[in-house]
Structures are given as C-alpha cells and as structure tokens.
Amino acid sequence: MKSILVTGGAGFLGSHLCERLLAEGHEVLCVDNFYTGSKSNISNLLQNPRFELLRHDITFPIYVETGQIYNLACPASPIHYQHDPVQTTKTSVHGAINVLGLAKRLGIKILQASTSEVYGDPDVHPQSEDYWGRVNPIGIRSCYDEGKRCAETLFFDYHRQCGLSIKVIRIFNTYGPRMLPNDGRVVSNFIVQALRGEPITIYGKGHQTRSFCYVDDLIGGMRRFMDSRADFIGPVNIGNPGEITILELAESVLSVVGGPSKLKFLPLPQDDPKQRKPDISVARKELQWEPKVPLKDGLRETVAYFRRTLLD
Ligand code: NAD
Ligand code: UDP
Ligand code: UDP
C-alpha cells in the first residue's frame, strides 16, 4: 500500500483515478479547489477510511506528506479553461512548480497529466511523441496549450536539474461517466442534446477528426505508466487511435440514444484543430498497453450515466 496524492482528484479523470487507486488498496489524498470538479464525483469515496480530501488551490504551495503524486489539476474543456485564462496558465505553471517542489522535498515520483493539445493544430498525422507541435502562442487556446507545454518543460528540467523521478503522459480526448454536462466538450454536448431532443451542434462542417478513448482504458494506461521502469519517463501518448469525424460521432451518439434530434451547424471556434489521432506505438511497446473499449460500448456507459444524472 502506498500513500498517493492526486491533484484534481474531484474532476472527471481524477475521480476515476482515485477510485482505481483505492480499489488497488492504496491510501489516497485528493487535492482539489472544486473549480470544475465536484464533491458528487467523489461522494462514493468519502466514507473510505483510506481516502482523504483537501480543498486547496495548487497555485499556492502545498506542504503534505505522501509517497507519490499524480498532477491532474487543471480545467480541461475550452469553456472552463477560457473562462479565466490567467488562472489556467497559473494552474499549469505555478501549480507544476509547487507539486514539483513537493516531490523534490519528499524525493518521490510524480506524474504529469499533459495533453494532445501540446501538438496544437498538427501538420503531422497521426501525432507521435517526437513531433513538436504547431501551437498558436497568443490565441484563445494558448493559456491551456502553452501552460501545458511549459509544465512539460518544468517536469523535464526538474528531472535533469534535480534528478527528480518523473512521468509525463499526453492524454488524448477521453470521455465517460462524470464528464460535466455543461462543459462544452463534444461527447457530453452531443449526449445531453440527444437526450433532451435538442439539435446536435456541429461546429464547422463536422469534417474535423478526433479519436475518443474511454475513461477506463485511459486510467489503465496511466496506472501502467506510473509503475513502469524508472528510465521510461515519457512523454507518452495515451489515447484511442480510432479516428472519426465529428459528424460520425454525432451519428454514433444518435444511434445509441435514439430520439428526434437534428443536426445544427455552427461556426468553427478559433484555432480548432482539424485532425487528431494518437500514434500509440510507444505505449504499445513500452507499456504493452492499448485501449480495449469500443466507442459504442463506451458511449452506452456514458449515455446511461447522463440519463441518471439528468433525471436526478
Ligand atoms: P476536470 O476539469 O474534470 O478536472 C480537473 C480538476 O482539477 C477539477 O476537479 C478541478 O476542480 C481541479 N482544479 C482546477 N484547477 C485547480 C487548482 N488550481 N488547484 C486544485 N485543483 C484544481 O478535467 P479532466 O478531464 O478530469 O482533466 C484532468 C487532467 O487531464 C487535466 O490536467 C487535463 O488537462 C488532462 N487532460 C484531460 C483530457 C480529457 O479528454 N479529459 C485530455 C487531455 C488532458
Ligand atoms: N513547495 C511546496 N511544497 C513543498 C516544497 C516546495 O509547495 O513541500 C513549493 C515552494 O513554495 C516553491 C516551489 O515548490 O515555490 C518550488 O520548490 P523548489 O524547492 O524547487 O524551489 P525553491 O523553493 O528553491 O524556489
Ligand atoms: N464540437 C462540436 N460541437 C460541440 C462541441 C464540440 O462540433 O457541441 C467540436 C469542436 O469544434 C472540436 C471537436 O468537436 O472540433 C472536439 O471538441 P472538444 O471541445 O470536445 O475537444 P478538443 O477540441 O479540445 O479536442
């Protein structure tokens, strides 16, 4: 049993990670400022004596004792990270400095939840880890993209300069239960719209592509990476290489939910990447990991979750 700190543990991915770590028998300290996370995400964990919750903003120093750190704290959807872009950059950069300082003081391993957004609107397809990306440094997505890029820089510099044990994972679009119904991400938007019989909002022509990974697969990859050999520090892409257009996603959601929704076409947001698909050969080789859950199965689970929560 280890004592493990999860920042952003009350969020979508963080709550699934906390749950998995507890099921494995570890002690979990969940640190969250509830910016986008919620107590309801972890309500089933609060009774567990091995689970502890600390309300804290990681842009401020944090002095706790723990044996390992997963740094997930950061709003992840465009609506939320663009709501207070300065805070987003602070969370990525100041937050990284604080958790890295904590890991350095304790001499422990730390994992950074980075993102496919470090590749920006990519001109290399699919994206492999050695691609440096095509990111606008001054656009409306930059607070997130550049914040995450700077956090990666900090992780690698703490590794080189202080000998810190690090792991950097680049997460591609992930979906599943506990996504927020109102955070504007495409899977949650489409499901909620379909369940309410409202129009499905397609930005642009819907020909842009994404590759969607079910949350259980993602958490499995993250766990495997954290426990992998010390000299494999990443960055490593974790995601599902099954690439589809946004129009195809709309059709899949509608076929799972049913209902009368029609498609509604709206303008494409600024800097919206045209295509995205992870090259996961590094994860396959180094972690013997690949996603298992087909899109239809994952959508069914996610739709069931939204049916329950929207009816509450
Ligand atoms: P989320 O918004 O559900 O979770 C983020 C959590 O961090 C929330 O609980 C929020 O309250 C907390 N938080 C935000 N700022 C904080 C701060 N300053 N101090 C403490 N807590 C803070 O998002 P998510 O989808 O669960 O994403 C988790 C991590 O994974 C993020 O770092 C995100 O960038 C990364 N990621 C997610 C995806 C995805 O598809 N979900 C893709 C790529 C990367
Ligand atoms: N820090 C923290 N918890 C700790 C140790 C450090 O939050 O247990 C913060 C500390 O506030 C500092 C940052 O982490 O600003 C970076 O720490 P580091 O030791 O790398 O740098 P320094 O303190 O020399 O600036
Ligand atoms: N999108 C859409 N309709 C929506 C929400 C999003 O067509 O209601 C598109 C969006 O323009 C993008 C893709 O779906 O091309 C994925 O958007 P999301 O915000 O989920 O993820 P990201 O752009 O960060 O990959």
Side-chain angles (χ1 to χ4, degrees), residues 89 92-93 96 118 144-155:
T89 304
S92 277
V93 178
V118 300
Y144 185 72
D145 301 5
E146 295 290 21
K148 288 286 189 179
R149 285 168 68 97
C150 184
E152 286 200 7
T153 308
L154 284 162
F155 269 70

Side-chain angles (χ1 to χ4, degrees), residues 233-302:
I233 61 175
V236 60
N237 291 339
I238 298 285
N240 192 320
E243 181 184 15
I244 58 169
T245 66
I246 295 305
L247 272 179
E248 287 167 335
L249 176 71
E251 282 159 18
S252 292
V253 168
L254 281 172
S255 76
V256 172
V257 178
S261 292
K262 298 270 177 295
L263 304 185
K264 178 178 175 185
F265 290 85
L266 296 173
L268 193 66
Q270 186 195 328
D271 292 340
D272 198 274
K274 282 178 275 311
Q275 51 183 6
R276 186 180 296 140
K277 166 185 168 150
D279 177 337
I280 59 164
S281 20
V282 173
R284 280 200 175 105
K285 175 164 175 282
E286 298 291 341
L287 306 175
Q288 292 75 51
W289 175 88
E290 63 182 1
K292 299 242 154 34
V293 181
L295 182 66
K296 274 280 166 67
D297 294 356
L299 285 179
R300 265 186 220 106
E301 293 295 323
T302 315

Side-chain angles (χ1 to χ4, degrees), residues 94-145:
H94 292 188
I97 291 173
N98 287 327
V99 291
L100 285 161
L102 173 65
K104 184 176 118 187
R105 177 176 66 80
L106 298 174
I108 57 172
K109 183 160 53 173
I110 178 166
L111 178 146
Q112 167 67 357
S114 190
T115 168
S116 54
E117 302 284 345
V118 300
Y119 301 122
D121 187 2
D123 45 16
V124 165
H125 195 73
Q127 292 80 53
S128 55
E129 290 84 350
D130 52 8
Y131 175 51
W132 290 353
R134 198 169 77 94
V135 174
N136 176 357
I138 56 167
I140 55 173
R141 292 174 83 104
S142 312
C143 58
Y144 185 72
D145 301 5

Side-chain angles (χ1 to χ4, degrees), residues 12-279:
F12 163 46
L13 298 182
S15 61
H16 285 275
L17 176 63
C18 290
E19 205 170 359
R20 177 83 62 110
L21 292 169
L22 289 169
E24 290 174 14
H26 300 297
E27 270 180 9
V28 173
L29 172 57
C30 165
V31 169
D32 207 295
N33 67 350
F34 297 113
Y35 186 67
T36 49
S38 71
K39 278 218 178 116
S40 64
N41 282 342
I42 47 168
S43 55
N44 57 333
L45 309 181
L46 290 168
Q47 304 309 319
N48 190 320
R50 285 183 283 109
F51 183 77
E52 201 181 339
L53 173 64
L54 175 65
R55 179 190 280 258
H56 177 80
D57 179 336
I58 62 156
T59 62
F60 296 96
I62 172 166
Y63 286 85
V64 292
E65 303 306 309
T66 186
Q68 203 172 65
I69 304 173
Y70 287 84
N71 185 37
L72 272 63
C74 186
S77 73
I79 287 185
H80 286 122
Y81 71 64
Q82 287 165 15
H83 172 71
D84 185 347
V86 173
Q87 172 68 12
T88 300
T89 304
K90 280 187 188 167
T91 294
S92 277
V93 178
H94 292 188
I97 291 173
N98 287 327
V99 291
L100 285 161
L102 173 65
K104 184 176 118 187
R105 177 176 66 80
L106 298 174
I108 57 172
K109 183 160 53 173
I110 178 166
L111 178 146
Q112 167 67 357
S114 190
T115 168
S116 54
E117 302 284 345
V118 300
Y119 301 122
D121 187 2
D123 45 16
V124 165
H125 195 73
Q127 292 80 53
S128 55
E129 290 84 350
D130 52 8
Y131 175 51
W132 290 353
R134 198 169 77 94
V135 174
N136 176 357
I138 56 167
I140 55 173
R141 292 174 83 104
S142 312
C143 58
Y144 185 72
D145 301 5
E146 295 290 21
K148 288 286 189 179
R149 285 168 68 97
C150 184
E152 286 200 7
T153 308
L154 284 162
F155 269 70
F156 276 82
D157 281 335
Y158 268 81
H159 173 69
R160 283 185 287 257
Q161 197 175 325
C162 315
L164 199 63
S165 185
I166 61 158
K167 303 272 180 190
V168 174
I169 175 178
R170 289 184 180 153
I171 302 171
F172 281 64
N173 297 64
T174 302
Y175 70 99
R178 303 200 196 117
M179 296 183 90
L180 284 174
N182 61 347
D183 74 355
R185 280 190 255 191
V186 68
V187 174
S188 42
N189 266 14
F190 285 4
I191 291 178
V192 170
Q193 289 161 347
L195 284 172
R196 292 185 173 145
E198 292 168 358
I200 306 285
T201 52
I202 309 273
Y203 301 161
K205 295 199 168 101
H207 295 157
Q208 69 271 38
T209 67
R210 293 293 186 275
S211 310
F212 297 97
C213 185
Y214 189 61
V215 61
D216 289 356
D217 280 336
L218 187 280
I219 299 297
M222 196 186 276
R223 284 290 300 111
R224 225 171 240 231
F225 182 35
M226 185 57 129
D227 292 351
S228 63
R229 53 170 226 277
D231 63 348
F232 179 55
I233 61 175
V236 60
N237 291 339
I238 298 285
N240 192 320
E243 181 184 15
I244 58 169
T245 66
I246 295 305
L247 272 179
E248 287 167 335
L249 176 71
E251 282 159 18
S252 292
V253 168
L254 281 172
S255 76
V256 172
V257 178
S261 292
K262 298 270 177 295
L263 304 185
K264 178 178 175 185
F265 290 85
L266 296 173
L268 193 66
Q270 186 195 328
D271 292 340
D272 198 274
K274 282 178 275 311
Q275 51 183 6
R276 186 180 296 140
K277 166 185 168 150
D279 177 337

